[in-house]
Amino acid sequence: MTLTLTCFVVLMFSATLQKTVHIIRGELFVLQFEMILKNQQAQAVTNAEPRSLSSFKGVVKVNGVRQPVPKETTFSDFEVTFKENGNIQSIKDAKIVISLPYESEKQITYQLQLGSGQYKKTTS
């Protein structure tokens, strides 16, 4: 009886801990993605060359190189190219939407502004 109760309590905490780990992984990747976005813009200015960031069918690429994306996040399709001065040269779909399925379908949206290189971040 004691062993059964102990196993039940351990399993309860295990499921809760596992969900917490998924949530933290998703949130950390969103922060990492923001750094990648800002870094691409800074690299365009520093190196005086265009830089790109894109996602197609959940595969994120930085200058054509595939980036690992954890299962805790899903991306909308987008393509952004930064000019040598850091402004956005072209956008295919002005919104970047990141979904975090482990957080009750939480979505983070980056609304990009053509020309300025700025974006507005919203969470729903």
Side-chain angles (χ1 to χ4, degrees):
M1 177 72 169
T2 304
L3 182 59
T4 304
L5 184 60
T6 304
C7 288
F8 178 74
V9 170
V10 168
L11 286 174
M12 271 185 37
F13 286 122
S14 174
T16 303
L17 178 64
Q18 191 173 25
K19 183 176 179 182
T20 302
V21 168
H22 287 304
I23 289 170
I24 291 171
R25 259 192 215 149
E27 291 289 342
L28 285 175
F29 188 77
V30 168
L31 294 174
Q32 182 182 2
F33 176 78
E34 279 186 42
M35 292 303 297
I36 290 170
L37 183 63
K38 291 175 185 176
N39 186 39
Q40 285 301 94
Q41 188 174 22
Q43 289 293 318
V45 173
T46 303
N47 297 333
E49 65 184 20
R51 304 289 285 189
S52 66
L53 182 63
S54 64
S55 172
F56 182 69
K57 294 187 179 181
V59 176
V60 176
K61 292 185 178 181
V62 177
N63 288 324
V65 178
R66 185 180 178 147
Q67 297 295 306
V69 177
K71 67 179 179 180
E72 290 83 4
T73 59
T74 58
F75 279 80
S76 63
D77 291 348
F78 68 88
E79 187 173 336
V80 180
T81 303
F82 291 101
K83 293 193 281 188
E84 294 84 359
N85 64 2
N87 290 345
I88 295 175
Q89 177 178 345
S90 65
I91 301 174
K92 178 187 164 209
D93 197 0
K95 278 187 194 177
I96 299 173
V97 180
I98 303 172
S99 298
L100 302 171
Y102 288 94
E103 290 189 62
S104 301
E105 293 300 322
K106 178 179 178 180
Q107 286 191 334
I108 299 167
T109 304
Y110 298 90
Q111 181 68 46
L112 303 171
Q113 299 172 359
L114 186 63
S116 71
Q118 302 294 316
Y119 63 85
K120 180 182 176 186
K121 178 181 174 183
T122 56
T123 304
S124 59

